Amino acid sequence: MAQIVAATCNEHKLNEYRDLLKDQKVEVVGLNAYKKCPEIEETGATFEENASIKALAANKYCDIPAFADDSGLEVEALGGAPGIQSARYADSDSARIARILNELGDNPNRQAKFVCVIAIAINGEVIETFRGEVSGVITKEPRGSNGFGYDPIFMPDGYDQTFGELDAEIKNKISHRARAFQKAIEFVEDEMSVLDDDFS
Ligand code: ITT
């Protein structure tokens, strides 16, 4: 089976990738399998730039097709923060959640969205990026222990439970990451059928 390297050391993301790609003919290998891979610095100003930097670095280092996701939470009342700084907003998941709840206080505007941008890199080039988003609200306190990161305080529109409470199966149908993957899979399937046509 063809292998693709996922440019992440985040085991939670890796589990979601494997679930989202379970029907595809591809084996997802994490960067953890490449023990000596140097740390990739996220120096971009957008999700697209950071996803591209990570995918390209992994493709060059591992010499097989690679993808990466750069993702985060944008809170409307905080001017879109933490955004691309989501992983670095504080030192731990619980501290990051506490910082958001503290900064929001009693603000009635709890609108937020999760954003995920996937970049695919093959043969030293980023071939495309794909953006997925899911809108929702920030709860007053953390609820549930499923998922990771900001999941316990994010309640997607149309649900009365947070991503921390909802089953992984539901999150993986409606999440920002699921939506970005749907687009990426469609793109790859279309490209593959073009290739098949060329060779038939
Ligand atoms: P890699 O760069 O190694 O992939 P990372 O965790 O540093 O892992 P990002 O730079 O993309 O990933 O930061 C994304 C952060 O946004 C992540 O650490 C979480 O805090 C948050 N986040 C992203 N997707 C999320 C999700 O589905 N549920 C909860 N929080 C999420």
Side-chain angles (χ1 to χ4, degrees):
M1 196 186 289
Q3 285 194 331
I4 189 162
V5 63
T8 188
C9 293
N10 180 329
E11 288 295 322
H12 300 281
K13 281 188 178 182
L14 203 52
N15 287 338
E16 291 191 6
Y17 298 153
R18 291 194 170 127
D19 197 39
L20 292 165
L21 293 172
K22 64 178 183 299
D23 296 331
Q24 309 303 315
K25 293 191 198 93
V26 72
E27 184 195 345
V28 181
V29 185
L31 263 194
N32 288 343
Y34 294 81
K35 294 260 180 292
K36 292 190 178 147
C37 180
E39 196 167 320
I40 303 166
E41 266 194 73
E42 298 180 28
T43 52
T46 62
F47 290 112
E48 278 77 5
E49 282 176 16
N50 280 336
S52 299
I53 289 169
K54 290 189 263 188
L56 201 52
N59 172 237
K60 286 188 173 158
Y61 184 80
C62 307
D63 211 18
I64 59 172
F67 71 89
D69 101 48
D70 199 54
S71 45
L73 180 68
E74 292 186 345
V75 181
E76 191 173 273
L78 302 181
I84 63 166
Q85 298 302 332
S86 291
R88 299 170 285 277
Y89 212 46
D91 288 341
S92 65
D93 277 348
S94 56
R96 287 185 272 274
I97 284 177
R99 180 168 173 192
I100 301 255
L101 292 181
N102 191 33
E103 287 177 342
L104 265 183
D106 287 334
N107 195 322
N109 179 4
R110 319 289 299 181
Q111 288 299 321
K113 65 180 178 184
F114 268 129
V115 179
C116 173
V117 173
I118 294 172
I120 301 178
I122 300 178
N123 295 333
E125 268 181 62
V126 173
I127 56 166
E128 194 59 86
T129 61
F130 310 89
R131 177 179 275 247
E133 300 185 353
V134 58
S135 297
V137 291
I138 302 296
T139 51
K140 288 266 162 70
E141 54 202 30
R143 290 174 6 204
S145 53
N146 293 340
F148 68 101
Y150 300 96
D151 281 341
I153 55 166
F154 183 83
M155 191 158 70
D157 287 347
Y159 292 81
D160 57 7
Q161 289 183 304
T162 67
F163 272 161
E165 296 171 304
L166 290 165
D167 284 345
E169 204 184 320
I170 296 178
K171 180 183 176 191
N172 286 342
K173 277 206 178 90
I174 63 167
S175 77
H176 48 316
R177 192 160 290 108
R179 288 175 178 163
F181 266 93
Q182 276 158 18
K183 291 184 188 171
I185 290 167
E186 267 170 42
F187 174 87
V188 170
E189 281 173 351
D190 288 353
E191 290 294 300
M192 293 318 243
S193 72
V194 169
L195 286 180
D196 288 347
D197 289 348
D198 285 350
F199 287 105
S200 59

